[in-house]
Amino acid sequence: QVQVVESGGGLVQAGGSLRLSCTASGLTFDDYAMTWFRQAPGKEREGVSCISWSGSMKIYADSVKGRFTISRANAKNTLYLQLNSLKPEDTAMYYCAADRTSGYCSGSWSNRYYWGQGTQVTVSS
């Protein structure tokens, strides 16, 4: 049984930083590209960042480029997202997802995924 669990969310002031973590079990972690999504209240879910199985390919949404950094530790079955220079508009539930379609990032944000339950990030102004 595949389990994906996020952690690290919280309340932070604008300009602050957080690091999100995601652990996955029940799968061969380094077979999967991993993606972070987020969904704010009343808005559609959006892709934030993707990292390929090896970590050699990374893509970011324009809204977070230069501020967020995705990384992974395959030996630990763990995915990370470093969030810097946070803005109130970054407030959302952040979800980790393992891409069941490919080990590479396509940028389509619409593949089939194993999903986590989410971790809340709230940025105060």
Side-chain angles (χ1 to χ4, degrees):
Q1 181 180 358
V2 175
Q3 287 192 319
V4 178
V5 180
E6 304 92 336
S7 62
L11 173 63
V12 63
Q13 289 188 332
S17 297
L18 284 173
R19 188 174 83 153
L20 308 183
S21 299
C22 166
T23 58
S25 59
L27 50 72
T28 303
F29 186 73
D30 57 9
D31 279 349
Y32 294 81
M34 298 296 295
T35 300
W36 286 100
F37 291 84
R38 67 185 181 184
Q39 187 167 19
K43 295 188 177 181
E44 292 188 356
R45 184 179 62 206
E46 64 171 338
V48 173
S49 183
C50 175
I51 186 168
S52 64
W53 69 273
S54 68
S56 62
M57 177 192 300
K58 302 175 184 180
I59 60 173
Y60 296 92
D62 288 343
S63 57
V64 306
K65 278 180 183 176
R67 300 188 300 120
F68 291 7
T69 302
I70 193 170
S71 61
R72 65 190 294 162
N74 286 344
K76 297 180 179 180
N77 281 21
T78 302
L79 173 73
Y80 303 99
L81 187 68
Q82 179 68 39
L83 291 66
N84 295 331
S85 302
L86 281 161
K87 304 174 181 180
E89 51 264 43
D90 294 317
T91 295
M93 185 72 78
Y94 283 71
Y95 298 92
C96 170
D99 191 336
R100 299 172 66 178
T101 305
S102 174
Y104 297 92
C105 301
S106 65
S108 71
W109 312 114
S110 61
N111 295 336
R112 293 185 305 125
Y113 299 96
Y114 293 112
W115 293 95
Q117 83 292 345
T119 187
Q120 178 68 38
V121 172
T122 302
V123 185
S124 63
S125 58

